[in-house]
Amino acid sequence: MVRQNIILAGFMGTGKSTVGKLVAERLGMHFADTDATIESLDGRSIAVIFAEDGEIAFRRIESTVCLRIVRLPERVIAVGGGALLDKYTRSVLESEGLIICLTADIDEIIERVGDDPSRPLFGDRAAIERLMAERAAHYASLPHHVDTMGHTPEQVAEEIVELWKNNT
Ligand code: S3P
């Protein structure tokens, strides 16, 4: 199978966008971020979409954006942490790209994300633990994992480039 894209998935704060840009640079590919694309197409921030229209509406837009971006060739795509929970979106992205899940532990995630108000599902520690537990099986089921703990974004990017070379 010829896969043309790299899809970076994983929980909020695992570094998908930071690392994705570096991977794209190294491979001479384009970088896309589904949250940023949603915001520029919709004209509202993710937080406002959640607040005004709710999560279900956000997921609909997110799925449309994922399916659209993945058709463009040679993209490193950072998808929102919940984007691949939708089975159809996941199956299409899986057939068009190499899905890699970035991981980090909860303390590191809290440290990285802090009080960022742009992430409506990022609550207090108990809420994050709950969401991580709810999604643990989902993330574990993704085909490749790269642990970001104790690694610089450059090191993580290098590992992803190696994975890509070994899987295409
Ligand atoms: C979400 C993650 C966010 C964003 C939205 C919902 C999630 O993206 O899509 O707030 O459900 O995990 P990041 O993973 O890029 O923070």
Side-chain angles (χ1 to χ4, degrees):
M1 188 197 311
V2 179
R3 295 205 190 90
Q4 50 183 6
N5 296 310
I6 299 175
I7 323 280
L8 298 183
F11 202 77
M12 294 173 270
T14 50
K16 293 163 288 186
S17 302
T18 308
V19 167
K21 283 177 199 151
L22 296 173
V23 174
E25 257 171 43
R26 280 167 201 220
L27 292 173
M29 291 165 81
H30 303 280
F31 173 71
D33 177 309
T34 59
D35 285 339
T37 307
I38 291 167
E39 290 184 336
S40 82
L41 286 175
D42 187 274
R44 292 176 294 170
S45 69
I46 304 291
V48 171
I49 298 173
F50 264 76
E52 291 183 353
D53 299 350
E55 181 171 352
I56 293 174
F58 169 76
R59 296 295 174 202
R60 234 178 271 132
I61 308 171
E62 182 177 53
S63 175
T64 307
V65 163
C66 285
L67 299 177
R68 228 192 260 178
I69 292 180
V70 84
R71 285 201 188 94
L72 305 168
E74 298 184 352
R75 254 60 188 175
V76 177
I77 307 166
V79 297
L84 302 184
L85 289 164
D86 179 80
K87 288 195 170 61
Y88 180 68
T89 307
R90 175 178 173 166
S91 73
V92 174
L93 267 57
E94 225 156 16
S95 65
E96 301 283 344
L98 181 72
I99 298 183
I100 301 169
C101 179
L102 302 189
T103 61
D105 73 20
I106 186 162
D107 292 319
E108 179 73 17
I109 284 174
I110 290 171
E111 169 91 21
R112 288 185 195 164
V113 175
D115 292 331
D116 184 355
S118 72
R119 287 183 167 95
L121 296 183
F122 203 83
D124 60 14
R125 189 185 179 91
I128 297 159
E129 270 172 0
R130 241 188 340 264
L131 194 59
M132 285 182 99
E134 257 173 42
R135 292 184 179 176
H138 161 67
Y139 292 129
S141 75
L142 296 173
H144 299 279
H145 295 88
V146 171
D147 187 14
T148 65
M149 293 294 296
H151 301 297
T152 63
E154 288 75 15
Q155 289 168 331
V156 177
E158 203 44 57
E159 198 172 328
I160 291 169
V161 168
E162 284 310 307
L163 244 177
W164 171 248
K165 287 183 181 159
N166 293 330
N167 282 278
T168 44

